[in-house]
Amino acid sequence: MNPTGRHRSTRDRQAKASLGEDAVVGAALEILKSKGLAAVTMRRVAAALDTGAASLYVYVSGREGLLQAMLDRVIAAVELERPDPSRWRGQLHSLLARMRRTLVAHPGIAAVTLAEPPTTEAVLRLVENLLGILLAGGLDPQDAAWACDIFVLLATATHIEADARRADPEEQADEIYQRFTGLSPDRFPLIAAHAAQMVAGDGDERFRVAVDVVIDGMLARTARRQVYEP
Amino acid sequence: MNPTGRHRSTRDRQAKASLGEDAVVGAALEILKSKGLAAVTMRRVAAALDTGAASLYVYVSGREGLLQAMLDRVIAAVELERPDPSRWRGQLHSLLARMRRTLVAHPGIAAVTLAEPPTTEAVLRLVENLLGILLAGGLDPQDAAWACDIFVLLATATHIEADARRADPEEQADEIYQRFTGLSPDRFPLIAAHAAQMVAGDGDERFRVAVDVVIDGMLARTARRQVYEP
DNA sequence: ACCTGAACACCGTTCAAGT
DNA sequence: ACCTGAACACCGTTCAAGT
């Protein structure tokens, strides 16, 4: 057997010394990026590794476990920030924008985030970093914890939203705009009147505004507390 | 054939005059509530209606269309508010709490919301109402539009989060608390130190805080605009 | 004209039987 | 001891053939 040769049959190949969780997750991520979440089936991942679906169960606990491991690997690639009280707001925006960009690059992967509590290594590191920046910003621990939760929810939700709209986003925005302006002014006067505002901004900008709004809201809470409970 | 009789075979029964989109959606919602989203298969819905999966395609365009119709019916049941500028903040909380409660009562249904632009009748009515309350509150149209988007994202995301945690939520919170306090203080000092804050509050309370934070953040934007661009 | 059984092309997971 | 082909119990969707 030529060790560099590619083999098309599942029989007749060298020992699987090179296989392992990393290889399985890697193959699955490649399929995810090129074909989307629905294409990530045990059978297809196995085929990409020149083996059968049953062999995958040695390295992952099943499809659910595989998705979990994929998310962890994706999140692990997000560069963190060293919390700096003098620029915590900017750090928050950078970190969350990177997180969102990474998620968007992996269509569908975030469905897993919401489904499971943040328990894997990489997700914990990200949350720890978020918490650090928020506390450096002077937030009360409870507010900081809640803000973490909200930010993760927003990042995940905008990501799911983004990748459901696979087609040209601008074209789709235009389509929705047309539909909104065409709505009966008797029944939907506000949506019709403000259609332009309803479809304004791309995913990045909408996410940025959402993060900004949450930061402002948290600062308002902090200010209120300092007035009433000094 | 006795018209009140139940038939177990797909052959040998009266004409399907009673069937229609409503019946299909109703049967699907019953399965959703009792067995969850994964159990809502074309075959099972058909079986509940004493017919075969193929017959469903007369009334719905496929599984995706069925889910869409189910969501519309669920959202249609959310009672709306007549916008009142003097109590818009309370109205927002009431409306969104009702929306969330309705979603939580239908495990898994919200996965559909995010996946599709808000284009169905009932969703449009809800968004129109949200927009009305926000504008009554004095928000700039663009801010109001963005707030709508954020609120819908939050409601959907917390709902997905809620129903992934099927088991006893309190027990699960305790489990996560144990895991957080047990984390290495070298690597995750903040999560470990603030574990209590991280798991504080049930779904309702966390959602309420999130809505409050977004409202405060939007008011801060409004105030800022009025100072700089009077 | 309407309805649907049966077929098609898939799934995730298990396990007996091989090497 | 390790690996996996084949089987099991499902999917959504289509369509030819029946009534």
Side-chain angles (χ1 to χ4, degrees), chain A:
Chain A
M1 282 292 102
N2 180 348
T4 63
R6 302 276 269 122
H7 307 269
R8 314 181 107 237
S9 156
T10 50
R11 303 194 309 107
D12 171 38
R13 82 184 96 64
Q14 70 217 30
K16 279 293 173 43
S18 63
L19 230 65
E21 206 204 343
D22 280 1
V24 174
V25 171
L29 281 175
E30 228 157 281
I31 295 173
L32 179 76
K33 272 207 233 188
S34 60
K35 303 212 161 58
L37 184 67
V40 179
T41 67
M42 300 299 278
R43 285 165 137 93
R44 256 193 272 240
V45 173
L49 294 165
D50 263 328
T51 184
S55 304
L56 265 40
Y57 287 77
V58 181
Y59 309 106
V60 293
S61 62
R63 187 171 191 258
E64 209 61 29
L66 173 58
L67 293 177
Q68 198 69 222
M70 289 163 72
L71 174 68
D72 198 65
R73 175 114 131 220
V74 165
I75 293 292
V78 177
E79 211 187 314
L80 304 182
E81 300 272 339
R82 181 182 303 279
D84 175 352
S86 74
R87 41 185 273 275
W88 69 281
R89 192 173 184 125
Q91 289 189 313
L92 222 41
H93 275 296
S94 308
L95 178 63
L96 289 169
R98 277 199 299 277
M99 176 182 175
R100 181 174 182 282
R101 221 175 306 134
T102 305
L103 289 177
V104 169
H106 297 86
I109 190 66
V112 184
T113 331
L114 286 178
E116 293 289 329
T119 197
T120 61
E121 196 70 14
V123 175
L124 283 172
R125 272 181 45 228
L126 189 89
V127 171
E128 176 81 15
N129 196 208
L130 267 176
L131 210 46
I133 298 172
L134 290 163
L135 292 170
L139 253 57
D140 169 273
Q142 183 61 77
D143 286 351
W146 270 326
C148 278
D149 189 44
I150 297 174
F151 286 137
V152 171
L153 288 180
L154 283 177
T156 311
T158 61
H159 154 66
I160 297 180
E161 199 180 34
D163 81 40
R165 332 267 212 269
R166 303 300 292 137
D168 186 12
E170 250 184 82
E171 191 190 324
Q172 186 152 24
D174 198 62
E175 226 171 81
I176 301 177
Y177 176 78
Q178 296 297 341
R179 175 142 166 62
F180 281 178
T181 52
L183 286 172
S184 150
D186 290 336
R187 309 190 47 233
F188 305 106
L190 302 175
I191 297 178
H194 303 295
Q197 282 80 33
M198 293 298 288
V199 303
D202 59 9
D204 275 338
E205 192 179 350
R206 294 166 87 94
F207 181 64
R208 198 172 206 293
V209 170
V211 169
D212 230 37
V213 167
V214 172
I215 294 174
D216 283 339
M218 282 296 173
L219 289 177
R221 280 173 87 79
T222 305
R224 206 156 47 217
R225 201 185 341 257
Q226 281 162 356
V227 170
Y228 294 134
E229 314 158 15

Side-chain angles (χ1 to χ4, degrees), chain A residues 127 131 142 144-146 148, chain B residues 180 190-191 194-200 206:
Chain A
V127 171
L131 210 46
Q142 183 61 77
W146 270 326
C148 278
Chain B
F180 281 177
L190 301 177
I191 297 178
H194 303 295
Q197 283 78 35
M198 292 298 288
V199 302
R206 293 166 88 94

Side-chain angles (χ1 to χ4, degrees), chain B residues 41-64:
Chain B
T41 67
M42 299 299 276
R43 285 165 136 95
R44 256 193 272 240
V45 172
L49 295 165
D50 264 327
T51 185
S55 304
L56 266 39
Y57 287 76
V58 180
Y59 310 105
V60 294
S61 64
R63 185 169 191 260
E64 210 61 29

